Amino acid sequence: MPDSQPSSVENIIIIGTGPAGLTAAVYAARANLSPVCVEGTQPGGQLTITSDVENYPGFPEGVMGPELMERFRKQAERFGTRFVSGDVQAVDLNQRPFTLTFADGRQSKTRALIISTGASAKWIGIPNERRLMGRGVSGCATCDGFFFKNQDIAVVGGGDTAMEEATFLTRFAKSVTVIHRRDTLRASKAMQDKAFKNPKIKFIWDTEVSDILGENDVQGLKLKNLKTGESSEMKVTGLFVAIGHQPNTGLFQGQLQMNETGYLWVEPGTSKTSRAGVFAAGDVADHVYRQAITAAGTGCMAAIEAERLLESEGSH
Ligand code: NAP
């Protein structure tokens, strides 16, 4: 267990308890590595803020996001994963064993580290956005689009994600209105063309969403035209916020290789980061798929790779 005076060295510490971290924990625990899993401020990760998950294999009737994560956690616990709460505030990856320092000063040392700190959707930060999350406000069209059959909905953002989400959502929705704060899109030409050609997609330019209306679910939006200052209201039953994601990698800046948007670099086809003994799994190293099932898959890879490394070093 983490302690302010670390007397022992853990085999594996996993930071993050989303699908990637908990799958890594199941595999590492079943390999008798007695892993420690660090739960931060959002135990269970992004799935805990979605409602029904209908695309996770093995659940033909669907499953609620929080319940799915509770099941992952129980499975990891069953094989001996130890859970500790706390915010890791600093890591020293320059020397093995690696050292983790928690916000309250505790420290832990570990031979192998699995980073599964995920990514966070960026949110607009307006009133009612958080309150109506999962009740009409979503950050993931793949997860929630299905619930908006024949409805009028809106997407905020002007990048590739917004175009991709808007286009995907036309499979279900009656209409999709893209609301963008400027009058030109940031998205690639190909994605723009696809969205412009889609008869179900409309655009509102130079406009921000200033509030979300509705008591128990989304009933409409308050809009503000940024050029004229004019306010208006719009009736929609869903709002998809697609203004980008940011990987939770601030802790590792300067110690691990990252791409230009901050996602951890991993050796292709593996979970190995730029430092031996440090592995990355899930959204923290994946800006392409960002699905629970792919996160779980890479969590499995990370645990197997960590186990093989420890075994080759004779430390397990
Ligand atoms: P992005 O390119 O950073 O675009 C974010 C969009 O959201 C921008 O249009 C931005 O407006 C807007 N925005 C940011 N903050 C906002 C706020 N507070 N309120 C309102 N609007 C806000 O992010 P992304 O679309 O997620 O794409 C990220 C990266 O992934 C890009 O490199 C993209 O090419 C890539 N990607 C690729 C694909 C694909 O090829 N299939 C799919 C998705 C993403 P401004 O334009 O005014 O800054």
Side-chain angles (χ1 to χ4, degrees):
M1 297 283 279
D3 203 284
S4 53
Q5 294 298 316
S7 49
S8 62
V9 177
E10 303 291 351
N11 288 315
I12 297 188
I13 291 184
I14 299 160
I15 312 180
T17 52
L22 292 175
T23 303
V26 168
Y27 275 77
R30 290 191 78 251
N32 258 345
L33 287 165
S34 191
V36 171
C37 219
V38 180
E39 291 186 298
T41 46
Q42 194 181 14
Q46 293 185 71
L47 272 194
T48 57
I49 55 162
T50 57
S51 44
D52 294 75
V53 178
E54 295 187 331
N55 55 8
Y56 200 87
F59 294 88
E61 315 300 334
V63 58
M64 297 301 276
E67 185 195 334
L68 181 60
M69 294 325 298
E70 188 51 36
R71 285 169 171 263
F72 269 65
R73 194 184 194 282
K74 278 191 184 139
Q75 197 170 352
E77 242 170 357
R78 178 178 156 209
F79 298 110
T81 303
R82 289 164 296 149
F83 286 89
V84 297
S85 310
D87 263 337
V88 179
Q89 206 156 60
V91 292
D92 180 357
L93 306 179
N94 289 316
Q95 249 187 343
R96 277 183 79 199
F98 309 119
T99 306
L100 276 61
T101 305
F102 289 78
D104 60 9
R106 284 175 295 160
Q107 284 195 322
S108 289
K109 285 193 180 290
T110 185
R111 294 183 179 92
L113 179 66
I114 296 179
I115 300 169
S116 45
T117 46
S120 306
K122 289 190 206 158
W123 296 99
I124 313 171
I126 48 172
N128 296 319
E129 187 178 38
R130 193 150 273 278
R131 189 175 63 79
L132 292 168
M133 218 168 268
R135 293 189 283 161
V137 175
S138 171
C140 175
T142 316
C143 322
D144 298 328
F146 189 75
F147 304 114
F148 294 86
K149 272 189 178 159
N150 291 321
Q151 299 184 33
D152 294 312
I153 59 176
V155 171
V156 181
D160 280 334
T161 302
M163 294 312 107
E164 193 169 62
E165 302 245 311
T167 304
F168 178 78
L169 287 166
T170 59
R171 294 185 196 188
F172 314 101
K174 187 160 51 156
S175 75
V176 178
T177 303
V178 174
I179 301 165
H180 183 38
R181 63 183 178 183
R182 293 186 299 124
D183 62 1
T184 48
L185 295 172
R186 180 178 295 279
S188 61
K189 174 101 175 52
M191 305 274 271
Q192 291 194 25
D193 286 349
K194 206 168 166 191
F196 286 143
K197 273 192 202 136
N198 191 317
K200 280 190 175 181
I201 301 180
K202 292 179 275 185
F203 287 84
I204 295 182
W205 305 104
D206 299 312
T207 297
E208 69 175 17
V209 177
S210 52
D211 200 0
I212 305 167
L213 309 170
E215 265 315 301
N216 299 315
D217 44 28
V218 173
Q219 297 293 329
L221 304 175
K222 250 191 189 166
L223 304 179
K224 185 178 173 195
N225 185 303
L226 296 171
K227 281 204 169 142
T228 63
E230 232 168 81
S231 291
S232 60
E233 286 188 9
M234 178 188 185
K235 209 170 155 13
V236 287
T237 47
L239 175 68
F240 284 80
V241 179
I243 60 174
H245 279 79
Q246 51 199 21
N248 301 320
T249 52
L251 260 183
F252 312 106
Q253 220 111 48
Q255 300 196 66
L256 295 175
Q257 199 177 319
M258 300 176 190
N259 75 8
E260 64 286 354
T261 44
Y263 285 86
L264 292 182
W265 175 88
V266 288
E267 193 183 309
T270 77
S271 69
K272 295 174 188 169
T273 68
S274 51
R275 206 169 281 261
V278 182
F279 304 86
D283 287 12
V284 75
D286 167 26
H287 69 282
V288 179
Y289 302 106
R290 298 200 307 238
Q291 299 300 301
I293 187 68
T294 46
T298 51
C300 162
M301 288 161 62
I304 291 176
E305 283 161 1
E307 182 198 353
R308 287 184 182 159
L309 176 74
L310 295 180
E311 195 164 309
S312 73
E313 292 172 340
S315 50
H316 165 47

